[in-house]
Amino acid sequence: MNIDNLQAGFRKRQFTPLDIAKFALEKAKQHPEVFIQICEAEALLQAQQSTQRWLDNAPISELDGIPFGVKDLFDIEGYITTRGSKLYTDLANSTAPQVSDLIKFGAVLIGKTNLSEFAYSGLGLNPHFGTPTQKVENRNYITGGSSCGSAAAVMEGIVSFALGTDTAGSIRIPSSYCGLVGFRASSSRYDNSDIAPLSPSLDTTGPICASLKDICYIDNLLNQNTTSIPANTQFNLIFDEQFCNQLAMDEATKDAFFASIAALKKHGIKVENHKITTLNQTLELVNRIGWLGSIEAYVTYEHLIKQQQLSSIDPLVAQRLKNSNRIEAEDVSRLYQQRETLKRQLAKELKGSTLLMPTTLTTAPLLSDITQSVESFNEYNLKALRLTMIGSYLDCPGIALPNGLSPNGLPTSLLLSQCSGNDTELLRYAMTIEPFITSLFNQARGNNNG
């Protein structure tokens, strides 16, 4: 379902957008844990119109006829915005601008994808609609959250891309666990209206795809920008070796991270090791005071708590919500103030360089390990969010690139981040280095298959 492959097939008339839409719809029906709602009538109409444009040799964009999904936080007129919950039943009376823009450019909306309830976990469990998993060596591993359905829809080859939201890592984590490319945009990059909130000051959006080139196709249309591969662009990559070595990474993640750095240096990319004090300071602040997203999530869903509806919510999410109101008012104020201070500090430390880190500390955990107890859920959730929450707090655009595999075939991932607002620069630099990182991933897949 790669965008270039589909475009080539449409152009050569090997198949039509309608053929692809029918295939995607049928496959989506086979995965109810991935798609909460399927927009069949609309998808068929959109695909028929796209097919005629391709027959007339007049596609309206690179995405004309390309199937996609959206996380069920985005409003779609005439459909419920479930938020991954059974508590919301009202039909939306408008469509989120990001979705309507993609449809305007010819993309075909297959349906709305699953998520952690209210998008409030990095693990992607959902007792109401099912939990998407990936089977490796006959064992069920999670796809990660909260955009679990969006990642699974791409991983399963149902759609070419899916839109997700990211408050503390919800695009980057599932991309990491599933071997996909995920882009967390700065909060001002796209029009984020008509999307159900979790934490308004931290929420943002972005696509999950199989390649960075596909990410750029989508970004170009949503942002009306041209993200091309620059010629002879000089840029610096930076990592903090001391910070990375103190992390509780598994061996596969650690090996893939340092192999990525070595590969980039081998190909003449400048990668420097510098201490970035903002990283530890951000984590220490969160550890000492708490997560800003938690208190905002409490405010967003306080009405459910007051209406005593916690019993209708996933117990693992309900207990997090209930405990989210424990930060004192003065500490909440301190979190907002320190956020701006640390953003400025990071800009001084990076000096325009792109920051490299692992996306997640480990590969995807087993579903059975997470669901043993509330304590195990909390432990794995904090571990999943450990690194991505730094960029979320500082509103850093981030790109997760698959860079290796564990011995049992689970993907590892490299995270590239820039300062808030530097999305275009990040995408351009990432396009330059992606071939070297992708080569590592493909080599690992070849060794694994061999």
Side-chain angles (χ1 to χ4, degrees):
M1 300 297 271
N2 175 280
I3 292 175
D4 280 348
N5 290 344
L6 291 185
Q7 286 178 1
F10 297 155
R11 194 172 295 110
K12 296 175 183 177
R13 303 195 178 182
Q14 295 171 329
F15 44 76
T16 69
L18 185 58
D19 295 329
I20 296 301
K22 288 179 178 178
F23 168 83
L25 288 166
E26 185 58 35
K27 200 164 184 181
K29 293 174 186 176
Q30 296 168 11
H31 291 276
E33 78 287 358
V34 174
F35 279 86
I36 292 178
Q37 300 177 79
I38 296 175
C39 306
E40 183 166 15
E42 294 88 344
L44 291 174
L45 177 59
Q46 293 160 15
Q48 286 170 348
Q49 294 169 342
S50 177
T51 295
Q52 188 58 55
R53 289 192 293 270
W54 278 100
L55 291 174
D56 293 338
N57 295 314
I60 52 179
S61 81
E62 293 89 346
L63 297 186
D64 205 340
I66 304 300
F68 75 107
V70 299
K71 187 175 184 177
D72 204 353
L73 292 176
F74 290 76
D75 284 349
I76 307 295
E77 185 177 2
Y79 287 85
I80 301 167
T81 304
T82 69
R83 311 183 187 206
S85 175
K86 293 291 188 179
L87 293 175
Y88 292 87
T89 57
D90 292 338
L91 301 179
N93 55 19
S94 61
T95 297
Q98 286 188 44
V99 180
S100 59
D101 282 351
L102 290 168
I103 294 171
K104 179 180 70 176
F105 286 117
V108 177
L109 177 61
I110 299 303
K112 307 188 77 177
T113 56
N114 198 1
L115 63 150
S116 308
E117 191 165 13
F118 309 141
Y120 200 28
S121 111
L123 301 178
L125 311 187
N126 192 304
H128 310 300
F129 299 102
T131 296
T133 58
Q134 49 183 323
K135 191 174 288 290
V136 179
E137 296 182 346
N138 293 318
R139 307 180 79 187
N140 287 320
Y141 294 84
I142 64 168
T143 58
S146 63
S147 305
C148 55
S150 292
V154 179
M155 180 185 67
E156 296 286 352
I158 302 172
V159 295
S160 297
F161 70 93
L163 299 184
T165 65
D166 191 311
T167 303
S170 292
I171 288 170
R172 292 159 291 165
I173 293 167
S175 297
S176 174
Y177 286 169
C178 294
L180 299 170
V181 181
F183 174 44
R184 178 216 184 269
S186 296
S187 57
S188 61
R189 183 73 169 180
Y190 307 133
D191 185 342
N192 291 326
S193 55
D194 295 327
I195 301 172
L198 175 66
S199 169
S201 77
L202 297 174
D203 293 343
T204 188
T205 57
I208 296 174
C209 304
S211 75
L212 186 56
K213 189 175 183 181
D214 288 356
I215 295 277
C216 290
Y217 280 137
I218 298 153
D219 179 73
N220 288 345
L221 295 181
L222 290 180
N223 193 57
Q224 291 294 283
N225 172 62
T226 302
T227 308
S228 58
I229 302 175
N232 300 320
T233 296
Q234 296 298 313
F235 61 93
N236 293 339
L237 301 176
I238 193 169
F239 74 106
D240 185 336
E241 185 170 8
Q242 182 179 356
F243 173 78
C244 291
N245 281 330
Q246 75 186 22
L247 299 172
M249 287 186 276
D250 63 24
E251 285 302 313
T253 300
K254 186 174 183 178
D255 290 347
F257 177 70
F258 286 106
S260 297
I261 291 173
L264 292 171
K265 289 181 176 179
K266 179 182 176 182
H267 286 91
I269 305 296
K270 189 175 182 180
V271 187
E272 298 181 336
N273 170 29
H274 286 292
K275 186 171 182 61
I276 309 296
T277 59
T278 308
L279 303 178
N280 268 323
Q281 287 179 6
T282 300
L283 288 179
E284 288 168 2
L285 181 69
V286 173
N287 290 339
R288 186 175 74 254
I289 297 179
W291 178 236
L292 180 60
S294 294
I295 189 63
E296 291 190 350
Y298 183 91
V299 173
T300 299
Y301 290 105
E302 186 178 13
H303 63 286
L304 298 181
I305 298 171
K306 289 182 175 179
Q307 293 168 9
Q308 297 184 336
Q309 293 189 327
L310 287 179
S311 61
S312 300
I313 300 171
D314 175 359
L316 296 171
V317 172
Q319 60 92 16
R320 288 193 71 206
L321 271 180
K322 190 176 180 180
N323 295 334
S324 293
N325 198 31
R326 295 182 176 177
I327 304 176
E328 297 295 331
E330 61 183 27
D331 284 333
V332 174
S333 177
R334 188 171 291 112
L335 285 174
Y336 285 114
Q337 292 171 358
Q338 285 298 305
R339 187 185 189 198
E340 297 308 311
T341 299
L342 289 169
K343 284 167 70 174
R344 291 192 295 271
Q345 179 177 302
L346 181 67
K348 290 180 181 178
E349 290 193 303
L350 292 185
K351 298 177 182 177
S353 297
T354 297
L355 176 65
L356 301 181
M357 290 195 301
T359 307
T360 50
L361 292 173
T362 69
T363 57
L366 284 163
L367 177 63
S368 57
D369 286 345
I370 291 170
T371 54
Q372 286 180 358
S373 64
V374 171
E375 290 74 23
S376 63
F377 171 86
N378 288 334
E379 177 187 347
Y380 279 101
N381 190 55
L382 288 173
K383 188 178 291 187
L385 298 166
R386 178 74 173 171
L387 297 179
T388 55
M389 69 196 312
I390 299 172
S392 293
Y393 184 66
L394 304 175
D395 193 32
C396 296
I399 295 172
L401 293 176
N403 67 339
L405 290 176
S406 69
N408 62 344
L410 290 164
T412 59
S413 179
L414 178 69
L415 179 62
L416 288 70
S417 302
Q418 263 279 354
C419 290
S420 179
N422 292 350
D423 302 61
T424 299
E425 292 82 355
L426 177 65
L427 287 163
R428 286 178 175 164
Y429 302 157
M431 285 290 286
T432 303
I433 72 169
E434 185 197 27
F436 313 128
I437 304 303
T438 299
S439 178
L440 290 176
F441 184 56
N442 290 337
Q443 181 181 347
R445 285 198 297 189
N447 293 339
N448 186 263
N449 292 334

